[in-house]
Amino acid sequence: MTTTPSHLFYQSRTPRPFLDRGEGIYLYDTTGKRYIDGTSGAMVSNIGHSNPNVLAKMKAQMDKATFGYRLHFRTEPSENLAAKTAAMMPEGLDRVFFVSGGSEAVESAIKLARQYAIVQGQESRWKVISRFPSYHGCTLGALDLTGYDPLARPFDPMMRGMPKVAAPVTYLDRDNLSEEERGLKYAEMLRDEIIAQGPETVLAFLMEPVGGASTGALVAPDSYYGRIREICDEFGILLIYDEVMTGAGRTGKFIAAEHWGITPDIVALSKGFGAGYAPLGATVAGARIVEPILDAGGFLHGFTYAGNPLACSAGLAVLEELEEQNLVSNAANMGDVLLSRLHGLMDRYPFIGHVRGKGLLTAFEFVSDRDTMDPLPTALNAHSRLVELAYERGLITYSRRTRGGTAGDHFLVAPPLIITEAQIDEMMAILTDSLDAFAREAGLDVESAA
Ligand code: PLP
């Protein structure tokens, strides 16, 4: 760890060791300490670290050209990555707009939606409804759609205040409904909100099909997804899936929408799409949306680094690795193993109140009481303490305060899609040791093995 003051700043002053190198699911700091990358960074490094095939393809591209501005040249990597992406997406999502990150992908999605409404002669449509809690990025447009108070509140006066509906947190509901009925109940909240806002003013609904940082791998009941699609169609509202975290195979399908047979109108991708080899993202839509915009003069939007050949060569190599190593089905299979191991933790730790997820996007949430699902006291600072205890023991996890960011603690477990069952067990051993340490420190009961 550096002892001299740093000129670099991020969100906070959390001191961290220097990274030396990555290899598969492991990262090493400069003292030689090894860490299991239990969350693929921030759900990014889907194919693991230092994949030699990807590095070789990037090097070959680097030797030719690292940058060619998109208004001056077409490039093979960007054309090939767009074609490959279209081929891997559900049918009809075949026009690809490159960006360099998730917030940019979301911003591009909503601006594309707006221009589509304009060319359709529907100028009155501009409101994008999203969910609370949710996370869609930190640029002001994406933040306005984000339902996570600690990050959004200071900037409220600078934003328009887009409408929100409740995310389908059915695991907290204490009613007599079935899960399917609860899913429909949450979907109807969208319909009510559209009517309250005035359907002619509503442009789009934006959702994470499986929740990310703000809800901790929240999965809605199956009934929710189809009903949301129907409601959007009923009012001519575009359905945008933010698959920045869930896309590129993370949940066991190329995009999570495929689990429910949904074709969104627009999809935002990033994170695992570049898998940490290059800053990369994409906004994907159908020709039905894109062509009329281009016919009417073009998409009034773009980023300088978009579609640069080096990032696209990395992205293309990443998608090739996903296919060649069957990583999407490995995510599905290893996701089942991981989820059952996490469920097993509930026997030992009464303070784990819920386990959820899809594929290799999984999470567990702490509670003080499983019946009421009340969170642990905030003073315990569980969300940061467990992460630190695991980090000390060589396991990287990712936590946030669930319930809108003010209370509750969830922990994401989302290793690279190359993980094996033996490596899941290695990860679980460190996690169990960390949970034991947390329980001791916080004075929480642990059930001893029968
Ligand atoms: N959307 C989702 C679902 C995310 O999880 C994130 C990042 O965590 C973003 C958007 C924003 O991506 P970025 O941080 O690359 O701008």
Side-chain angles (χ1 to χ4, degrees):
M1 203 179 304
T2 180
T3 47
T4 51
S6 173
H7 295 277
L8 184 63
F9 77 97
Y10 295 116
Q11 293 99 318
S12 67
R13 288 209 178 85
T14 313
R16 289 291 185 221
F18 276 99
L19 174 65
D20 182 36
R21 65 185 203 284
E23 210 178 283
I25 69 159
Y26 302 105
L27 291 166
Y28 296 83
D29 70 21
T30 46
T31 69
K33 181 175 167 183
R34 193 185 81 168
Y35 305 78
I36 297 179
D37 192 357
T39 50
S40 311
M43 285 53 79
V44 170
S45 302
N46 281 12
I47 64 162
H49 298 276
S50 309
N51 178 300
N53 298 332
V54 176
L55 298 181
K57 288 174 186 169
M58 289 177 73
K59 174 71 170 53
Q61 181 58 44
M62 263 189 252
D63 289 339
K64 291 213 258 173
T66 54
F67 189 75
Y69 189 49
R70 64 182 187 283
L71 299 183
H72 300 157
F73 292 101
R74 295 171 72 176
T75 69
E76 274 188 19
S78 58
E79 288 289 346
N80 293 342
L81 178 58
K84 184 92 191 152
T85 306
M88 294 175 86
M89 294 292 279
E91 212 183 317
L93 288 165
D94 57 359
R95 295 290 191 277
V96 182
F97 180 87
F98 288 121
V99 295
S100 303
S103 304
E104 289 185 9
V106 170
E107 295 278 352
S108 306
I110 59 172
K111 288 177 77 177
L112 190 71
R114 170 66 184 158
Q115 267 199 264
Y116 177 67
I118 292 171
V119 299
Q120 297 295 109
Q122 301 185 345
E123 283 263 357
S124 62
R125 290 189 189 267
W126 61 271
K127 293 175 189 165
V128 180
I129 302 178
S130 59
R131 311 191 308 190
F132 188 92
S134 63
Y135 188 72
H136 296 293
C138 64
T139 52
L140 286 172
L143 188 64
D144 203 1
L145 303 165
T146 287
Y148 195 80
D149 282 345
L151 291 176
R153 200 175 293 134
F155 306 101
D156 275 348
M158 301 168 75
M159 299 187 290
R160 186 95 207 211
M162 290 286 191
K164 307 275 181 305
V165 292
V169 285
T170 57
Y171 69 102
L172 296 175
D173 287 352
R174 292 291 173 268
D175 52 31
N176 293 321
L177 300 178
S178 67
E179 269 302 277
E180 292 312 283
E181 288 166 338
R182 284 185 186 150
L184 295 175
K185 180 184 89 176
Y186 280 89
E188 291 313 313
M189 291 178 191
L190 173 62
R191 193 169 186 283
D192 294 345
E193 186 63 30
I194 292 169
I195 291 167
Q197 291 291 335
E200 72 290 351
T201 67
V202 180
L203 176 66
F205 178 56
L206 172 70
M207 57 176 265
E208 298 156 274
V210 178
S214 64
T215 53
L218 180 76
V219 187
D222 290 338
S223 57
Y224 180 81
Y225 297 87
R227 184 67 191 128
I228 290 285
R229 179 71 270 186
E230 279 172 11
I231 292 168
C232 289
D233 290 344
E234 179 185 349
F235 295 102
I237 288 164
L238 295 174
L239 177 58
I240 306 175
Y241 266 30
D242 180 347
E243 299 242 14
V244 165
M245 192 181 284
T246 51
R250 162 94 12 223
T251 70
K253 300 276 186 196
F254 184 66
I255 61 168
E258 294 170 57
H259 288 291
W260 298 278
I262 302 293
T263 306
D265 298 298
I266 307 178
V267 176
L269 297 171
S270 187
K271 293 195 183 263
F273 189 59
Y277 290 86
L280 183 65
T283 303
V284 188
R288 173 179 79 81
I289 290 178
V290 173
E291 295 302 328
I293 294 173
L294 297 180
D295 290 343
F299 188 23
L300 302 171
H301 180 70
F303 299 100
T304 299
Y305 275 99
N308 76 76
L310 180 58
C312 290
S313 73
L316 185 59
V318 165
L319 296 190
E320 285 166 354
E321 283 301 294
L322 276 185
E323 271 186 347
E324 278 156 31
Q325 292 191 53
N326 279 323
L327 295 182
V328 181
S329 58
N330 197 56
N333 298 336
M334 289 302 111
D336 288 345
V337 172
L338 177 57
L339 208 57
S340 81
R341 299 283 201 281
L342 293 177
H343 275 292
L345 293 178
M346 292 183 80
D347 296 338
R348 181 168 171 78
Y349 306 104
F351 55 89
I352 296 184
H354 196 243
V355 168
R356 52 185 177 260
K358 199 109 189 142
L360 282 171
L361 182 56
T362 68
F364 56 93
E365 181 169 335
F366 284 172
V367 293
S368 58
D369 180 329
R370 278 188 194 157
D371 291 329
T372 62
M373 293 299 275
D374 287 339
L376 284 183
T378 48
L380 283 180
N381 241 349
H383 73 299
S384 66
R385 275 313 291 151
L386 180 66
V387 168
E388 290 309 312
L389 291 165
Y391 196 93
E392 283 164 19
R393 289 162 174 75
L395 170 64
I396 296 172
T397 57
Y398 190 106
S399 75
R400 278 281 171 86
R401 284 232 152 110
T402 188
R403 327 254 176 124
T406 47
D409 312 271
H410 66 242
F411 302 86
L412 285 156
V413 187
L417 315 188
I418 54 171
I419 199 164
T420 63
E421 189 162 349
Q423 289 173 327
I424 288 179
D425 288 334
E426 193 186 349
M427 186 168 72
M428 291 306 295
I430 305 179
L431 185 58
T432 307
D433 189 33
S434 313
L435 283 162
D436 280 345
F438 173 72
R440 274 196 305 276
E441 190 179 287
L444 297 168
D445 289 340
V446 169
E447 304 285 337
S448 46

